[in-house]
Amino acid sequence: MLDIALLWEMRGLILQGLWNTLWICFLGCLLALSLGLVLAALRLANPRLFGYPVACYVEICRGTPLLILLFLLYYGGPSIGLRLDAEIAGVMGIGLYGAGYFAEIYRGGFKSIPKGQLEAARMLGISPWHALIRVQIPQMARLIVPPGTNQLIILVKESALISIISVDDLTKNATTIVNQTFQVIEPYLAVALLYWLIIELIARSGYALEKRLANRQPRQAAQQGATPHANG
């Protein structure tokens, strides 16, 4: 039988770990999404200048475990004058690590846009910046929702590694409960359920966003097709 009373008694530690996991994952994923977009845009805007450095960054992220990056930021940072709290190191680790993957997701989305649209934008005198904001990003967003959602889920699951650098997240606090009570099943089952709920929320949000963007495109096409007829 599961000892539900134990979980209720230790609810303070569990809720503290849940809160720390949520805000660290949110900020880390936000950093990954933003930095990844910047890297992809730089690489596509000026391949000669930024192509090789961004490609090297992406390959380093792919070939280096998140745990190693966390160790470098938290334990190695003081040797070069970079002293970070464990929580901030967790946010930066997740963000820098995820940015490499999102840069490739964004790049794939940009590459999927027909070149004719960009050529038409240039012929109409639209600046590259406005073309990026009004033409490329809206179409790219629809294409990257499924892989982007999957990558966010991966980052949330891998965020459990921040417990190793002494962040009081769900995993670390569950281990603390195990060490105090010698009960293993209840704390880790509770943590597994909470992670599942977080990931289910991300997945359902991704499905909803994908459906909304897919429904918006036919409406926009219909409006654009009706405009010349109305003017005529």
Side-chain angles (χ1 to χ4, degrees):
M1 293 291 293
L2 294 178
D3 189 357
I4 304 300
L6 171 67
L7 297 179
W8 179 253
E9 182 182 352
M10 296 294 179
R11 65 187 183 279
L13 274 175
I14 294 174
L15 291 176
Q16 179 197 31
L18 175 61
W19 168 247
N20 287 335
T21 295
L22 287 174
W23 76 263
I24 290 173
C25 284
F26 175 78
L27 293 180
C29 290
L30 184 62
L31 176 60
L33 287 165
S34 304
L35 182 57
L37 179 59
V38 171
L39 292 173
L42 289 174
R43 186 175 184 180
L44 294 173
N46 196 332
R48 291 185 178 180
L49 181 60
F50 298 108
Y52 183 73
V54 173
C56 289
Y57 182 88
V58 170
E59 293 305 318
I60 291 173
C61 289
R62 285 176 169 178
T64 305
L66 174 58
L67 183 58
I68 300 301
L69 181 56
L70 292 172
F71 282 160
L72 289 173
L73 288 171
Y74 186 62
Y75 296 114
S79 64
I80 58 173
L82 181 64
R83 298 183 181 276
L84 300 173
D85 293 336
E87 292 82 3
I88 301 303
V91 170
M92 291 186 62
I94 293 171
L96 295 174
Y97 177 78
Y101 289 91
F102 277 110
E104 283 298 283
I105 293 174
Y106 287 131
R107 189 173 72 90
F110 282 129
K111 288 290 187 179
S112 300
I113 300 173
K115 294 183 178 179
Q117 295 187 13
L118 299 179
E119 294 174 356
R122 284 195 293 268
M123 292 178 63
L124 292 173
I126 300 175
S127 67
W129 174 251
H130 283 88
L132 175 68
I133 299 297
R134 297 184 179 181
V135 179
Q136 293 177 279
I137 290 182
Q139 296 187 66
M140 179 269 295
R142 180 176 58 85
L143 297 171
I144 69 165
V145 168
T149 301
N150 289 335
Q151 187 57 45
L152 287 174
I153 289 173
I154 291 172
L155 288 178
V156 169
K157 290 195 293 185
E158 290 195 353
S159 72
L161 293 171
I162 64 177
S163 62
I164 300 178
I165 59 171
S166 73
V167 176
D168 293 330
D169 70 331
L170 276 170
T171 304
K172 185 174 184 296
N173 284 7
T175 303
T176 300
I177 295 173
V178 171
N179 293 335
Q180 290 178 359
T181 64
F182 303 102
Q183 298 290 330
V184 176
I185 295 178
E186 290 85 353
Y188 287 131
L189 275 180
V191 168
L193 176 61
L194 290 172
Y195 270 113
W196 177 80
L197 289 174
I198 295 171
I199 289 169
E200 188 68 13
L201 178 61
I202 295 173
R204 289 187 178 274
S205 299
Y207 296 147
L209 179 59
E210 182 181 3
K211 185 177 180 180
R212 181 177 179 180
L213 292 175
N215 292 336
R216 179 184 296 178
Q217 187 179 17
R219 289 199 300 268
Q220 290 177 342
Q223 291 174 358
Q224 292 174 357
T227 300
H229 178 72
N231 292 337

